[in-house]
Amino acid sequence: MNFNVFVETIVQQLQKRMGEVYEIRVTEVTKNNDIRLTGIIMLKRSDRISPTIYLEEPYRRFRGGAGIEAIVDDIVMLYEAQVRDVDLDMQFFCEYECVKDRIFHKLINYEKNRKLLEDVPHFRWCDLAIVFYYLMKEKTLGNATILIHENHSKMWGQSASDLYRTAQHNMKRRMPDLMVPMEKLVGELTGIQIEDMPETDLYVLTNKEKFYGASAMLYSDQMRVLADRLQSDLLILPSSVHEVLLLPDDTGKDYAFYRKMVAEVNETQVEPEEILSGSLYRYERKKAEIKEIYV
């Protein structure tokens, strides 16, 4: 059974399971870096919105031997978990005063998202783009976000510059920058204190939530403090949309080596949707500016 037939089968089975009060829709969603996913929406006739449940992972499970009935059971359970205790009335989203405290920004790759950016308020920044999102309040949805499109900004009467000022304020207040030595982060992630690991001048920059933390470059004061302490400019390596790596930019750095390293990490360690860039950047200590390094 190919993917298209699988999708049709899942829709048919869900329609039988959920009954006439639900409409089962198939939708294609373009995610970051032009990654396109197929999802289903189970929309109750009385509701205006519903969570999107993507079918690529269920299809992989099907190819691995899982039965259609078991997959449908899991989709229904996931849907019920996501809508339980969640207010799906999005009327509040029409009022800027109701949403402005939860508007944030993130960095995405400019070239990989050209089509998306045609309909999204943004600013070009090096080879990246600054875009804006609304972070949902409901904890049951995790870090669910709504990307802000042109129709949203027009509805609110807010320009891209207005959104940037709001997002910068919210980032500094709710998602302050976080910089930790690499060895400390490894210890936190593994739960193992690596006492024998030598201290390095490699640091991770993200935000307190470690969510779209690469955009901390736009407001971090800790970069300036680190550069002053090291008496050096900083070389910035993009790790993902969630963090970047910092190290002293000593004279004679082999930029080609670091660019190759970033490319290998992007190819083997980072989910395609979370790749930020293959470029290198430099924080210039005297000017307190970040610029792209051309190799």
Side-chain angles (χ1 to χ4, degrees), residues 201-215:
D201 284 331
L202 183 61
Y203 292 82
V204 179
L205 177 67
T206 181
N207 58 42
K208 182 185 70 171
E209 301 296 329
K210 301 182 180 67
F211 183 65
Y212 292 137
S215 69

Side-chain angles (χ1 to χ4, degrees), residues 177-182 200-206 214 216-217 220-224 226-227 230 233-239 243-249 253 258 281-283 290:
D177 58 324
L178 175 67
M179 183 183 295
V180 294
M182 175 60 83
T200 66
D201 284 331
L202 183 61
Y203 292 82
V204 179
L205 177 67
T206 181
M217 289 189 289
S220 175
D221 289 327
Q222 296 194 57
M223 283 193 299
R224 174 184 53 79
L226 178 64
L230 297 175
D233 292 345
L234 301 175
L235 178 61
I236 304 174
L237 310 180
S239 177
E243 70 282 311
V244 296
L245 305 181
L246 308 176
L247 65 157
D249 186 25
K253 271 277 192 285
Y258 284 107
Y281 311 94
R282 179 191 297 111
Y283 174 81
I290 296 176

Side-chain angles (χ1 to χ4, degrees), residues 85-96:
D85 300 325
V86 175
D87 182 7
L88 294 180
D89 181 3
M90 293 294 290
Q91 187 62 37
F92 76 93
F93 201 70
C94 297
E95 301 294 332
Y96 189 65

Side-chain angles (χ1 to χ4, degrees), residues 82-108:
Q82 290 188 353
V83 300
R84 186 183 302 125
D85 300 325
V86 175
D87 182 7
L88 294 180
D89 181 3
M90 293 294 290
Q91 187 62 37
F92 76 93
F93 201 70
C94 297
E95 301 294 332
Y96 189 65
E97 287 299 315
C98 297
V99 301
K100 67 178 184 179
D101 288 342
R102 300 189 69 81
I103 289 176
F104 302 93
H105 58 50
K106 62 181 178 179
L107 288 171
I108 63 175

Side-chain angles (χ1 to χ4, degrees), residues 24-178:
I24 313 299
R25 299 179 186 172
V26 178
T27 182
E28 183 180 77
V29 179
T30 301
K31 307 289 277 186
N32 188 42
N33 293 334
D34 205 31
I35 305 299
R36 303 188 182 207
L37 300 177
T38 299
I40 54 170
I41 298 172
M42 295 192 287
L43 192 66
K44 201 172 183 178
R45 303 291 182 183
S46 58
D47 291 337
R48 297 178 61 186
I49 64 167
S50 174
T52 300
I53 299 174
Y54 298 106
L55 295 179
E56 281 74 12
E57 179 58 31
Y59 183 61
R60 283 191 285 270
R61 290 178 52 223
F62 171 75
R63 294 291 299 271
I68 291 291
E69 187 174 347
I71 289 173
V72 170
D73 287 342
D74 289 345
I75 290 173
V76 172
M77 288 176 59
L78 179 59
Y79 166 79
E80 291 176 345
Q82 290 188 353
V83 300
R84 186 183 302 125
D85 300 325
V86 175
D87 182 7
L88 294 180
D89 181 3
M90 293 294 290
Q91 187 62 37
F92 76 93
F93 201 70
C94 297
E95 301 294 332
Y96 189 65
E97 287 299 315
C98 297
V99 301
K100 67 178 184 179
D101 288 342
R102 300 189 69 81
I103 289 176
F104 302 93
H105 58 50
K106 62 181 178 179
L107 288 171
I108 63 175
N109 189 280
Y110 186 87
E111 289 297 330
K112 291 180 181 290
N113 292 282
R114 273 188 175 272
K115 186 170 181 59
L116 175 70
L117 292 171
E118 291 176 1
D119 187 42
V120 170
H122 67 278
F123 291 101
R124 182 78 182 261
W125 190 80
C126 297
D127 65 330
L128 307 174
I130 306 168
V131 297
F132 309 97
Y133 66 92
Y134 174 83
L135 181 62
M136 299 289 284
K137 293 181 181 180
E138 288 80 5
K139 296 298 183 183
T140 53
L141 294 179
N143 284 324
T145 65
I146 299 174
L147 182 65
I148 294 174
H149 287 256
E150 291 288 356
N151 63 314
H152 299 138
S153 59
K154 289 178 182 177
M155 175 176 66
W156 297 329
Q158 299 292 309
S159 67
S161 296
D162 295 330
L163 293 173
Y164 183 75
R165 284 190 291 271
T166 298
Q168 278 284 78
H169 173 75
N170 290 339
M171 298 298 294
K172 292 178 181 179
R173 185 165 56 98
R174 293 175 176 261
M175 293 191 188
D177 58 324
L178 175 67

